[in-house]
Amino acid sequence: VSEVDLAHYISMIEQNAWRCARLIRTMREYSYMNGHEKGLCELKQMVETAITLVGYEFERQNNVIIELDLEPNLEPFPCDQNQITQVLINLLLNARDALVPDGGIIRISTWALPDEDAQAFAVCDNGSGIDQTILPYLFEPFATTKELGAGTGLGLAIAQKILADHHGRITAENNETAGATFTVILPVDH
């Protein structure tokens, strides 16, 4: 092995070791937060945590590209970071499932809604969209667009419950061109 190859391998090992350390730290923080523990949280940090947990698998195994459009100056607001991150991960997993097996693009956006004293995030994919017959029932328990045995149909119902506990809301709509967008709005003043 040449010195150049050796230096390249050492660099790869170091980068992956840091990535693993960050992933373990994120998972530890995620798993130790039980119950409903509100604190001041930043939406950008929650997005980064969710991407740390799923991003590598999405890009390497599922050929899914994650694009970010994050408002850089959003103020921290009170919420249970663990639960809101759980909602975001659920939406990302659903978007990924809409893109598999061919892959595609998932876009995460964040923004402020000053008129509502709220912040919002959206998860948008360019997959097949949501069947119009299920759209009115999408957030009910056991409603699913997945094949039998591929999902429980509880993820979106749980997400809606978490958001209701935070006085927030979630909506879903098909995009004009392809795919679907899920939008979450969270008040910042409670």
Side-chain angles (χ1 to χ4, degrees):
V1 176
S2 72
E3 287 184 33
V4 172
D5 288 341
L6 187 59
H8 175 72
Y9 293 140
I10 290 171
S11 174
M12 285 176 42
I13 290 168
E14 183 180 27
Q15 288 174 2
N16 283 310
W18 282 112
R19 184 182 61 77
C20 288
R22 190 176 77 213
L23 180 61
I24 290 169
R25 183 177 60 246
T26 301
M27 290 177 69
R28 196 176 81 224
E29 290 169 359
Y30 184 78
S31 65
Y32 281 124
M33 297 182 79
N34 296 321
H36 196 63
E37 297 181 18
K38 284 192 177 180
L40 284 179
C41 304
E42 293 183 22
L43 202 46
K44 183 177 185 248
Q45 183 182 8
M46 289 183 271
V47 170
E48 290 169 352
T49 297
I51 291 171
T52 297
L53 292 170
V54 302
Y56 184 80
E57 173 191 347
F58 279 26
E59 291 176 14
R60 301 283 186 205
Q61 296 176 5
N62 303 122
N63 197 30
V64 172
I65 297 167
I66 298 175
E67 295 180 347
L68 300 176
D69 181 18
L70 306 180
E71 172 65 40
N73 299 316
L74 294 177
E75 294 291 324
F77 65 97
C79 75
D80 184 320
Q81 180 172 333
N82 182 50
Q83 290 186 341
I84 301 304
T85 302
Q86 178 183 343
V87 169
L88 181 54
I89 289 171
N90 180 284
L91 295 177
L92 288 169
L93 292 172
N94 285 348
R96 187 242 3 233
D97 291 348
L99 298 173
V100 171
D102 299 324
I105 298 171
I106 297 173
R107 181 177 200 76
I108 306 170
S109 305
T110 62
W111 65 96
L113 295 166
D115 293 345
E116 295 186 44
D117 286 329
Q119 291 181 20
F121 67 86
V123 175
C124 177
D125 67 70
N126 66 345
S128 57
I130 303 165
D131 185 325
Q132 291 295 333
T133 60
I134 190 115
L135 198 54
Y137 311 103
L138 197 58
F139 297 101
E140 293 183 11
F142 307 109
T144 184
T145 60
K146 298 175 184 170
E147 293 179 15
L148 186 62
T152 62
L154 293 174
L156 292 174
I158 291 169
Q160 187 175 46
K161 169 79 169 88
I162 289 170
L163 294 169
D165 289 346
H166 283 78
H167 307 286
R169 62 187 188 275
I170 184 171
T171 60
E173 62 184 352
N174 284 316
N175 303 330
E176 286 184 23
T177 53
T181 298
F182 286 80
T183 303
V184 171
I185 298 175
L186 291 160
V188 297
D189 62 352
H190 72 277

